[in-house]
Amino acid sequence: LQGTLGGIVWTSVSRGLLGFLAALALGTPLGLLVARVKVVRSALGPILSGLQSLPSVAWVPAAVIWLGITDAAMYAVILLGAVPSIANGLVSGIDQVPPLYLRAGRTIGATGVRGAWHVLLPAALPGYISGLKQGWAFSWRSLMAAELIASSPDLGLGLGQYLENARTDSDMPGVLLGIALILVVGIAIDLIIFSPLERRVLRNRGLLAGAR
């Protein structure tokens, strides 16, 4: 009735998508590096796996102390939650690429960055997209945890802040609405972006039932 719901949802969605894109830009080259350089894999592989299992909410107090209750703290929590998932997804996809593809790429001169772009990444797409889906889930959950704990008028009213305000006011309908909206947004992004992308990749590889 007040007409504020769309703005509340957009505040969180825009912040979540921007944070996810930043995580994508960092996680993709990191995943390539870990997958292709043995020394880096030995050093960073276990750390990435550990970070992926660490609850994102654990980073919120540290981010607030380092960066204050600001958008920068929100994005830091998103990056720490999503980058390991994206990188590990790409590593898993690359590990499943048949060596024959790489040898064929080298035969036609696709080495180094060219080989990674034209051979390795396309061949690793199914695992990479699974990592992206998981990365988005971590981005969204990390953002909600950050908004719940580090709420401030300067950050604007997002879904996490809205949920926390409803809890403070003992407003059970508001709490249930906040939970429902967080769930709906998470599902909607997956259905609109990631599921069609995953189906297209699998269909192109003849991995879907009925695919031609």
CSV table of all heavy atoms in Angstrom, one decimal, residues 11 60 86 89 130 148 164 166 185 205:
chain,number,residue,atom,x,y,z
A,11,THR,N,17.0,-2.7,-3.9
A,11,THR,CA,18.2,-2.4,-3.2
A,11,THR,C,19.1,-3.6,-3.0
A,11,THR,O,20.3,-3.6,-3.2
A,11,THR,CB,17.8,-1.7,-1.8
A,11,THR,OG1,17.2,-0.5,-2.1
A,11,THR,CG2,19.1,-1.5,-1.0
A,60,VAL,N,31.1,-11.2,8.6
A,60,VAL,CA,30.4,-9.9,8.8
A,60,VAL,C,31.1,-9.0,9.9
A,60,VAL,O,31.4,-7.9,9.6
A,60,VAL,CB,28.9,-10.1,9.0
A,60,VAL,CG1,28.2,-8.7,9.3
A,60,VAL,CG2,28.2,-10.8,7.9
A,86,ILE,N,32.9,-20.0,-7.1
A,86,ILE,CA,33.1,-19.9,-8.5
A,86,ILE,C,34.4,-20.5,-8.9
A,86,ILE,O,34.5,-21.2,-9.9
A,86,ILE,CB,33.0,-18.4,-8.9
A,86,ILE,CG1,31.6,-17.8,-8.7
A,86,ILE,CG2,33.4,-18.2,-10.4
A,86,ILE,CD1,31.5,-16.3,-8.8
A,89,GLY,N,34.3,-24.3,-8.7
A,89,GLY,CA,33.4,-24.8,-9.8
A,89,GLY,C,34.2,-24.9,-11.1
A,89,GLY,O,34.1,-25.9,-11.8
A,130,SER,N,27.8,-24.7,-13.0
A,130,SER,CA,27.4,-25.2,-11.7
A,130,SER,C,28.1,-24.4,-10.6
A,130,SER,O,27.4,-24.0,-9.6
A,130,SER,CB,27.8,-26.7,-11.5
A,130,SER,OG,27.1,-27.5,-12.4
A,148,LEU,N,21.4,-8.2,7.6
A,148,LEU,CA,20.7,-8.5,8.8
A,148,LEU,C,21.5,-8.0,10.0
A,148,LEU,O,21.0,-7.4,10.9
A,148,LEU,CB,20.5,-10.0,9.0
A,148,LEU,CG,19.2,-10.6,8.4
A,148,LEU,CD1,19.3,-12.1,8.4
A,148,LEU,CD2,18.0,-10.2,9.2
A,164,GLU,N,15.1,-7.4,9.6
A,164,GLU,CA,15.6,-7.1,10.9
A,164,GLU,C,14.7,-6.1,11.6
A,164,GLU,O,14.4,-6.1,12.8
A,164,GLU,CB,17.0,-6.6,10.9
A,164,GLU,CG,17.6,-6.1,12.2
A,164,GLU,CD,17.7,-7.2,13.3
A,164,GLU,OE1,17.5,-8.4,12.9
A,164,GLU,OE2,17.9,-6.8,14.4
A,166,ALA,N,11.5,-5.7,11.0
A,166,ALA,CA,10.3,-6.4,11.4
A,166,ALA,C,10.5,-7.2,12.6
A,166,ALA,O,9.6,-7.3,13.5
A,166,ALA,CB,9.8,-7.3,10.2
A,185,VAL,N,13.2,-14.1,-4.6
A,185,VAL,CA,14.3,-13.5,-5.4
A,185,VAL,C,15.4,-14.5,-5.7
A,185,VAL,O,15.8,-14.6,-6.9
A,185,VAL,CB,14.9,-12.3,-4.6
A,185,VAL,CG1,16.2,-11.8,-5.4
A,185,VAL,CG2,13.9,-11.2,-4.5
A,205,ARG,N,25.6,-30.0,-25.8
A,205,ARG,CA,26.5,-31.1,-25.7
A,205,ARG,C,25.8,-32.5,-25.8
A,205,ARG,O,26.3,-33.5,-25.5
A,205,ARG,CB,27.3,-31.0,-24.4
A,205,ARG,CG,28.4,-30.0,-24.5
A,205,ARG,CD,28.8,-29.6,-23.1
A,205,ARG,NE,30.1,-28.8,-23.1
A,205,ARG,CZ,30.1,-27.5,-23.6
A,205,ARG,NH1,29.0,-26.9,-24.0
A,205,ARG,NH2,31.3,-26.9,-23.6
